[in-house]
């Protein structure tokens, strides 16, 4: 289970200087065109996923269609070795698609892939491929996420192999009730420094990604690669947390992402490369990341509120959601890259203001992002999207709404009114390439109509999807309304 940053502790860390190796007492949880900009088949501005924040390009597919990703993280942290990924089944992808989701961020662990230096597990690669085959069967796009929590097994977690962990003998004290605080242990911070700076570890990490891209780059389900989950680093004497985060992002993460993107491109020219800032962005701190010299980069921040992760209710008056949106949109506007939020969702969804939070969060995400992956698709309690019977847990149903998962043309506007159960998409159909726009529908009866030179097709075997086929250059308005299908 993810654990949370205590709101007061993180606030103090954000404003107070921190000595080197200071130990925090808080905890927090742990696809296309060549340019990454939607094409202009009908002229005018690039297509966008929504009508909100200007200057952020859309994610696109190989046919140039504007993509919207809605889905969930899928992972198995509990099992490794011969049992790795055994908690993930075909049911995960069947159920996600049945509820209208088209995207999965799949956790993969370097320690399982390369248990000994240079020895890659064929069994683990086969297990990943089996999961990808299930995703392909249900038409779910997959992001391969090199996941780490508190660096890896050397500190009782998963991620970077123990053989690639160097601490210079610095101390580590576990925090079993507050695992995010372990990121501030001297040994963990030094391990990140060595990963970023040691030439042999740099080469090993690049070989790991080249291995994955070479094996799965041609798999139809693979959309792209998330280079490292929630990267952290080593604080210097006198730095506060935001200052340290911006330095780590600028001086260590940016060159690392450029190296790893080059490694992936030696095996896969087409997949999207997702890059994350440090988790500090969740507190409304703009990233210090620089330019990644690759034409298919996606900015992939996480979206967590410290107070809610610690169990508090959503406070609409606090302005956190607005501050986060303002901070998180600076990088994609400056570097002209799409945004996909890689993780989000509070632990306690049943508090009084959580219904409002989900509605406001969904609206915010729709303004600037090409999509998101919630934490996480599992069956049970805690962060799980659904219960043991597969029914949405309280307020999680608000994440399932009609959306255009692929638009063959230039998006003019798109909006969903949950109170009215009404979704509307207006676009100019492309004059070349695909003519098929795909609309994803959540469970229930939905009426789908199209105005303009366009026809709606409802596949008999897939009632939670509608296809809109338009004449080249047509101005099309698609309306999806709750009611009789």
């Amino acid at each position: 289970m993810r654990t949370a940053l205590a709101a007061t502790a993180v606030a103090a860390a954000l404003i107070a200087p921190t000595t080197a190796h200071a130990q925090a007492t808080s905890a927090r949880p742990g696809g296309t065109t060549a340019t990454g900009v939607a094409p202009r088949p009908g002229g005018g501005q690039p297509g966008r996923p929504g009508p909100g924040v200007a200057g952020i390009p859309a994610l696109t597919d190989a046919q140039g269609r504007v993509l919207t990703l809605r889905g969930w993280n899928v992972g198995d942290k509990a099992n490794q070795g011969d049992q790795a990924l055994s908690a993930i089944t075909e049911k995960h992808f069947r159920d996600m698609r049945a509820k209208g989701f088209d995207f999965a961020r799949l956790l993969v662990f370097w320690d399982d892939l390369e248990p000994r230096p240079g020895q890659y597990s064929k069994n683990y690669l086969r297990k990943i491929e089996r999961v990808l085959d299930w995703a392909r069967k249900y038409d779910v796009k997959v992001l391969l996420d090199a996941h780490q929590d508190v660096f890896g097994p050397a500190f009782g977690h998963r991620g970077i192999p123990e053989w690639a962990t160097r601490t210079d003998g610095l101390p580590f004290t576990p925090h079993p009730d507050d695992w995010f605080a372990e990121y501030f242990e001297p040994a963990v911070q030094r391990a990140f420094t060595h990963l970023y700076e040691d030439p042999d570890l740099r080469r090993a990490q690049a070989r790991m990604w080249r291995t994955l891209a070479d094996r799965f780059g041609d798999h139809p389900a693979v959309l792209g690669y998330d280079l490292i989950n929630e990267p952290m680093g080593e604080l210097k004497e006198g730095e506060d947390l935001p200052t340290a985060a911006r330095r780590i992002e600028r001086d260590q993460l940016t060159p690392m992402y450029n190296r790893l993107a080059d490694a992936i491109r030696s095996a896969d020219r087409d997949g999207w490369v997702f890059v994350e800032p440090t988790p500090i962005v969740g507190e409304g701190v703009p990233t210090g990341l620089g330019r990644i010299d690759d034409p298919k980069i996606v900015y992939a921040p996480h979206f967590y509120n410290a107070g809610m992760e610690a169990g508090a209710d959503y406070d609409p008056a606090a302005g956190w959601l607005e501050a986060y949106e303002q901070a998180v949109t600076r990088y994609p506007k400056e570097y002209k890259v799409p945004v996909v939020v890689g993780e989000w969702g509070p632990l306690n969804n049943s508090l009084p203001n959580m219904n409002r939070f989900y509605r406001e969060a969904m609206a915010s995400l729709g303004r600037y992002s090409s999509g998101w992956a919630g934490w996480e698709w599992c069956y049970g309690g805690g962060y799980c999207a659904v219960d043991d019977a597969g029914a949405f847990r309280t307020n999680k149903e608000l994440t399932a709404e009609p959306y255009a998962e692929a638009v063959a043309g230039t998006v003019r506007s798109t909006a969903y009114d949950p109170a009215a159960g009404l979704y509307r998409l207006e676009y100019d159909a492309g004059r070349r390439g695909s003519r098929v726009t795909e609309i994803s529908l959540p469970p229930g009866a939905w009426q789908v109509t199209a105005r303009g030179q366009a026809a709606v097709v409802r596949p008999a075997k897939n009632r939670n999807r509608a296809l809109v086929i338009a004449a080249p250059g047509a101005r099309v308005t698609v309306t999806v309304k709750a009611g009789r299908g």
Side-chain angles (χ1 to χ4, degrees), residues 30 179 283 310:
W179 68 263
E283 300 307 314

Side-chain angles (χ1 to χ4, degrees), residues 105-177:
R105 180 174 179 258
L106 176 64
L107 280 60
V108 297
F109 296 107
W110 186 2
D111 57 297
D112 262 327
L113 176 63
E114 192 179 2
R116 289 171 293 282
Q119 297 183 21
Y120 296 98
S121 170
K122 295 179 180 179
N123 185 46
Y124 191 57
L125 290 168
R126 284 193 296 267
K127 287 175 178 288
I128 295 173
E129 187 167 25
R130 180 180 64 179
V131 173
L132 293 175
D133 289 345
W134 289 331
R136 178 189 183 186
K137 180 177 179 179
Y138 296 101
D139 197 17
V140 173
K141 303 172 187 68
V142 174
L143 172 64
L144 295 175
D145 159 44
H147 209 82
Q148 65 80 29
D149 294 315
V150 193
F151 205 78
F155 307 111
H157 297 273
R158 303 298 312 280
I160 291 122
E162 195 160 3
W163 58 261
T165 304
R166 295 169 182 168
T167 67
D168 297 339
L170 292 173
F172 171 75
T173 300
H175 298 255
D177 297 324

